[in-house]
Amino acid sequence: MNKLLKIALAIVVLLLATLGLLLASGVVSPGSFRMLANVMLGVEGPATSDSTARERLSLPPGFSLQVYADDVPGARMLSFTPAGDLLVSRPHKGDIVLLRRDANGDGRHDGRESVIGDLKRPHGMDFYRGWLYIAERDRVGRINFSSGRGIGRYREVLRELPGDGNHWSKTLRTGPDGLIYLTVGSTCNICEERDPRRATMMRFRPDGRDTEIVATGLRNSVGFDWAPWDGALYATDNGRDMLGDNFPACELNRIEQGKFYGWPYFNDANVPDPDMGPDPLSSQRTPSAPAHRFRAHNSPLGIRFVDTRGWPGDYDRVALVALHGSWNRSTPDGYKVVSLHFNGNGIEERDFLNGFLHDKTVLGRPVDVTQGPNGDIFVSDDYAGAVYRISVVAAGSKAVLATEGTRDRVNSAQPE
């Protein structure tokens, strides 16, 4: 038996043993096994359809839902091309697929094709000056996309990134400053990291130079975006496990240069962690409390500030957040898209797309949220292998996507 096969078998045995212990201890319910397998191995649930989605899923008045795609197993992060096609990353499949824009108006994509394959757990994507940047498990690469399709050779930009442990996925976005931002999760549930790049947000120049750490203490920040009204950067973060059903809260953090966001020594609103003891660097840093607290174990992932002009109801200064849902609660919770309303009293959370949890049965797990060129909202679901499209249906209120600011960078220039 070769060495790689032995390692793979050892990992499988360890995973099965861990699942058995969690079940025996009551931390994980039998119904959560598939959720844990979805998180660790990309195991999928039942497929969805237009009729199932419309029957089970609910939206506020004035919005409609369609299944834009039901043929993208493992769908994770989303990004629109300059030509209006939708890219979907599939880490467990090792590829990026393109869903051709709906030119015939039937509400579904007009065909699927592979942009690039044989990647190492590709996750986050974004465009900058004609290049598509892709964050893989242990590197960042880019491919020329100025023609509306990926062409030419895939080139490494950053290599030898830490990619082992629990939180291997990396999310990548281009900032308003023209730098590429990258989140790197922790190796573990709770521990002291050896590599200073773990549990951080980093940034670097588009050619990979001048990499620096922006913020630390971020256990697993999968989604981030900039508020269009003031340029503030916000990132979701998943709280630690094994402290009960209702603690600690998952977080939305306002990211600022040089700040420490608590992990692994503090949880929730800066509550000291019972397993870690005092922060050995307490004389050098103070933890920053969350800007907003989600319910424990709801697993907030993708976040997107959306242009809500023409939307029905009260949707001024809003971000949409995908709650992937719990795998480690005795009663499942999450599994929806929520709207965060930024106002003078703070941040208010409301349900937006709900119904993925039906009588304790999980039908889907939202991952990412993005806004299309005509203002429609798109949501990925790695459990059902689907992408949903949400449209405004109120009379005379078709949303239009803003073309100024950071959202216009995809068309800004040719490759460097």
Side-chain angles (χ1 to χ4, degrees), residues 354-368:
N354 206 351
F356 291 100
L357 181 63
H358 183 73
D359 293 335
K360 296 187 179 181
T361 298
V362 175
L363 305 174
R365 306 194 74 192
V367 177
D368 197 18

Side-chain angles (χ1 to χ4, degrees), residues 197-230:
R197 297 173 295 178
R198 299 306 298 240
T200 70
M201 178 180 284
M202 306 165 60
R203 66 183 174 192
F204 52 90
R205 294 186 183 278
D207 60 4
R209 293 182 297 116
D210 300 333
T211 301
E212 65 172 338
I213 292 175
V214 175
T216 59
L218 297 167
R219 179 178 175 272
N220 188 29
S221 286
V222 175
F224 56 94
D225 197 12
W226 288 262
W229 54 87
D230 62 3

Side-chain angles (χ1 to χ4, degrees), residues 289-319:
H292 174 73
R293 298 161 67 238
F294 299 97
R295 286 168 59 85
H297 311 304
N298 274 203
S299 299
L301 299 184
I303 178 174
R304 190 73 55 155
F305 286 95
V306 292
D307 185 338
T308 60
R309 287 177 294 179
W311 281 30
D314 175 19
Y315 287 96
D316 185 31
R317 295 192 173 187
V318 162

